Amino acid sequence: MALQTSPFPNGCVAGLHAVGWAFILPCFWFLDRLIAVCKSTTLEKKQRLEQECYLQPLKVFFGSITFFILFLATAPLAFLGFLLWAPLQACRRPFSYHREPTSSPEKETHRGFELVGKASFGFASANLCLLPDSLARFNNLGHTQHRAAAIGQRIVQGVCRPHIRIFVDSPSSCGTLSPSSSILPVNSSSYGATDRQGQPPVSHHSDSAEGHVSIPKSNSRVVCVPCDDTEDPLSDQPSPLLNSNQNSNQQGRMGHRSAPRALLSQGLRQQDDVPWEVSSLFPANVDILCLEEVFDKRAAQKLTQTLRPIRFPVLEAQYHCFPNSRGEDALAAKGLLSAKVLIGQNPKQKKVVGYFNCTHLHAPEGEGEIRCEQLNMVTKWIGDFQAANRQPDEDIVFDVLCGDFNFDNCSPDDSLEQSHCLFEEYKDPCRAGPGKEKPWVIGTLLEQPTLYEDDINTPENLQRTLEREELRKQYISPPVPAEGRPLVYPETGQPWIGRRIDYILYRENSISKHCRTEIEEVTFITQLAGLTDHIPVGLRLNVIMDSDCVDE
């Protein structure tokens, strides 16, 4: 599908759509406020008790009457707008593409393969629950517009901090250590804990990024943040800085093969060479960030105004909507977004590309058959997309699938999805096998009624809680039992993990044969504490080209 900057085929259709939505918006907003005024979050209830405010019944009574009258008054206009707006959806494209011009084409490419035949790529995925305010409150999340602004600021604060690299010269340990904490001061205020919002992050120069990091505008919901994590072995000025994070399971990460001694000294369980950490910040220099549940239009605009524009030029993209969704999920247009991005060139000046895919599967529990059908579609659509866009004169260096799968790897109720053949194609670094997680894994679905408890209402508090199993089990959603069977969890001698429904998977058999992939780090991110009911996840991959490809 051609990449277009507008979801509509021409300006006339776009104008008619804008007019129709303008007629609908007042009625929609009054209905949204009517529901929101009657539905409070636990944070708002707690604040009223602390302030000894007992006027809420009057606010609900008069507010609901006022908004209901305004809703009725604007309903006729909204009906006319709907008659104009609805037919135009038939010719609307499933996505639009925005790319801001850069001062230099070199800033849009990763020169790691061209210079040394290897590079590192960071991926992150987050479900933000940015529904209209009234609907978000049923998930114990309110103030959608404020949350969108705070989420954008926190993400930029995390990914745009300097990526500090420490070069270790030791007979028993080699490579690059990159602490997850920054030397920059961290804004620890939480939206869920206070009414204050974090200040917009200041622009910084990063040793590992090309150029100046700022916050320009963008309109893409799948955002790629600049990164050039090339490790130059000839560098004679390694950074002397190491900022230790007392609350992290990991005080550093290693560029290749195995975890550094700094990790092992913290008691980190290393299995299958998978370094991991719980971080109160998004990983520095994330390349590709995929966001789910950005439903609200104004919230989406605020996010795209805050986040960086796409770093790697998108060559091709395609979106498929699931045809088998039911209930409220049928109204969400869930599906699969696939994209092919240009990375740069290898030493032989051959084009280097990557594929990434983002999906959001069917939500209701007990309907695993629907999710399995959707996984079948995802597998087919990815294969079709790559077959249609693969070129003989290019190297593929990564193939990533991420998103909210709405099933975990520990619930007996999800056993059907856990055994799907998708996991034979794509590797899950957190998975030991069907129905069994690796012992260091942490669930990513938070219990909604406890979102604003002191133990988890700030990034630092949530980080400490997730690192302690006895606390973690109070706030992470437990597994779902099979119908008619009691739940026995965890098994004897196994840790309590909880529901991990947010995934980042990678595939190796679809990339170029002379490329090999190594996991640099898996990250559970707590920076959005109090802003969403999911824990974002991150994955950084090292891709190394064989020497016969590097040598000219």
Side-chain angles (χ1 to χ4, degrees):
M1 180 178 292
L3 299 176
Q4 304 291 336
T5 58
S6 171
F8 299 100
N10 55 64
C12 179
V13 176
L16 291 175
H17 181 272
V19 171
W21 181 249
F23 287 174
I24 295 173
L25 182 58
C27 182
F28 174 83
W29 190 84
F30 290 134
L31 177 61
D32 183 61
R33 301 320 304 159
L34 171 62
I35 300 173
V37 77
C38 300
K39 182 71 175 177
S40 298
T41 65
T42 55
L43 174 64
E44 292 169 337
K45 294 176 181 177
K46 180 180 178 181
Q47 290 174 340
R48 287 197 295 268
L49 288 176
E50 292 175 349
Q51 298 169 2
E52 298 184 354
C53 179
Y54 305 106
L55 300 179
Q56 180 64 14
L58 293 177
K59 179 182 177 181
V60 172
F61 178 76
F62 289 107
S64 58
I65 291 178
T66 301
F67 288 124
F68 182 69
I69 293 174
L70 292 173
F71 166 74
L72 294 178
T74 55
L77 185 63
F79 179 73
L80 295 176
F82 181 79
L83 295 179
L84 177 63
W85 175 85
L88 298 178
Q89 306 309 306
C91 60
R92 181 174 182 171
R93 299 187 182 96
F95 64 89
S96 60
Y97 173 65
H98 175 82
R99 175 180 167 212
E100 292 191 4
T102 60
S103 57
S104 171
E106 293 183 355
K107 293 183 179 180
E108 292 187 332
T109 58
H110 200 309
R111 302 198 65 197
F113 294 111
E114 185 177 355
L115 297 176
V116 294
K118 61 182 177 180
S120 175
F121 300 96
F123 306 89
S125 178
N127 183 315
L128 304 183
C129 196
L130 289 176
L131 298 159
D133 189 42
S134 57
L135 300 181
R137 288 172 176 272
F138 288 93
N139 288 357
N140 200 23
L141 292 164
H143 307 287
T144 295
Q145 306 309 315
H146 295 285
R147 283 195 298 119
I151 286 171
Q153 291 168 1
R154 290 195 191 181
I155 292 175
V156 172
Q157 180 190 50
V159 302
C160 291
R161 60 199 166 95
H163 189 189
I164 305 169
R165 297 179 295 170
I166 291 83
F167 292 81
V168 177
D169 186 9
S170 168
S172 61
S173 177
C174 61
T176 302
L177 300 183
S178 302
S180 63
S181 298
S182 168
I183 58 172
L184 298 177
V186 178
N187 186 349
S188 62
S189 65
S190 167
Y191 176 82
T194 68
D195 292 331
R196 297 176 298 166
Q197 296 184 27
Q199 296 299 319
V202 182
S203 298
H204 301 289
H205 255 296
S206 172
D207 292 336
S208 59
E210 295 179 333
H212 188 69
V213 178
S214 58
I215 312 175
K217 295 182 180 179
S218 165
N219 285 327
S220 173
R221 295 190 190 181
V222 180
V223 183
C224 306
V225 184
C227 171
D228 186 356
D229 203 25
T230 304
E231 296 178 3
D232 185 356
L234 302 179
S235 174
D236 58 356
Q237 293 183 357
S239 170
L241 299 174
L242 172 60
N243 180 266
S244 117
N245 186 351
Q246 304 262 338
N247 298 324
S248 175
N249 283 315
Q250 173 182 353
Q251 288 189 337
R253 70 176 174 228
M254 186 171 180
H256 307 295
R257 293 186 176 83
S258 62
R261 295 188 308 275
L263 283 174
L264 302 177
S265 66
Q266 293 299 307
L268 173 66
R269 301 177 187 175
Q270 170 149 359
Q271 296 182 357
D272 302 320
D273 293 332
V274 181
W276 65 279
E277 72 168 333
V278 180
S279 174
S280 61
L281 293 172
F282 270 80
N285 300 321
V286 169
D287 292 291
I288 295 176
L289 172 63
C290 296
L291 306 176
E292 300 88 48
E293 289 197 11
V294 187
F295 290 120
D296 188 88
K297 292 178 178 291
R298 291 185 296 153
Q301 292 172 353
K302 289 184 178 182
L303 271 180
T304 53
Q305 288 171 1
T306 304
L307 298 176
R308 285 284 301 181
I310 291 179
R311 157 66 183 269
F312 301 128
V314 176
L315 301 176
E316 302 289 343
Q318 191 172 48
Y319 184 81
H320 289 280
C321 185
F322 293 130
N324 65 337
S325 299
R326 297 180 187 173
E328 66 274 13
D329 265 32
L331 303 175
K334 291 181 177 179
L336 173 75
L337 174 65
S338 299
K340 175 183 178 181
V341 295
L342 175 63
I343 304 301
Q345 294 180 328
N346 67 10
K348 296 183 178 180
Q349 305 303 304
K350 193 176 181 179
K351 187 185 296 183
V352 177
V353 301
Y355 289 97
F356 72 91
N357 310 273
C358 182
T359 189
H360 190 185
L361 301 184
H362 191 65
E365 298 175 359
E367 299 185 2
E369 295 84 0
I370 295 179
R371 282 186 287 273
C372 279
E373 292 175 7
Q374 293 177 346
L375 288 175
N376 292 336
M377 298 176 201
V378 165
T379 303
K380 180 181 183 302
W381 290 338
I382 291 176
D384 293 346
F385 177 76
Q386 295 186 7
N389 295 288
R390 187 183 298 265
Q391 301 295 328
D393 61 339
E394 60 188 20
D395 283 331
I396 302 170
V397 294
F398 62 76
D399 179 0
V400 171
L401 169 63
C402 66
D404 179 356
F405 287 14
N406 272 314
F407 67 86
D408 58 61
N409 197 34
C410 63
S411 291
D413 190 58
D414 293 335
S415 59
L416 194 62
E417 303 96 299
Q418 293 163 5
S419 302
H420 195 273
C421 61
L422 173 79
F423 295 101
E424 299 175 5
E425 289 285 322
Y426 282 89
K427 292 186 177 181
D428 181 357
C430 299
R431 171 184 167 105
K436 184 178 181 181
E437 299 279 47
K438 294 181 179 178
W440 49 265
V441 171
I442 293 173
T444 63
L445 183 62
L446 294 168
E447 290 279 73
Q448 293 172 353
T450 62
L451 288 180
Y452 306 107
E453 296 292 328
D454 291 340
D455 285 337
I456 62 170
N457 65 357
T458 68
E460 293 76 18
N461 289 354
L462 179 57
Q463 181 188 36
R464 285 191 290 267
T465 295
L466 294 183
E467 291 170 347
R468 299 176 59 186
E469 182 177 328
E470 290 303 315
L471 281 177
R472 184 170 66 227
K473 66 175 62 175
Q474 301 178 32
Y475 301 104
I476 300 293
S477 293
V480 180
E483 185 176 0
R485 298 181 183 178
L487 177 66
V488 179
Y489 183 82
E491 296 180 358
T492 304
Q494 296 298 314
W496 198 99
I497 293 173
R499 302 199 69 196
R500 179 180 63 95
I501 66 174
D502 299 274
Y503 293 75
I504 302 183
L505 315 178
Y506 68 100
R507 183 162 60 174
E508 292 183 310
N509 59 15
S510 59
I511 66 175
S512 299
K513 293 182 179 179
H514 54 264
C515 293
R516 54 192 174 91
T517 302
E518 297 174 348
I519 300 175
E520 181 177 330
E521 184 179 48
V522 173
T523 311
F524 300 93
I525 305 161
T526 65
Q527 194 169 9
L528 302 186
L531 299 173
T532 180
D533 55 351
H534 286 245
I535 296 172
V537 292
L539 173 67
R540 181 163 288 276
L541 295 176
N542 291 323
V543 182
I544 305 169
M545 287 188 174
D546 291 342
S547 57
D548 58 347
C549 177
V550 176
D551 297 334
E552 296 192 65

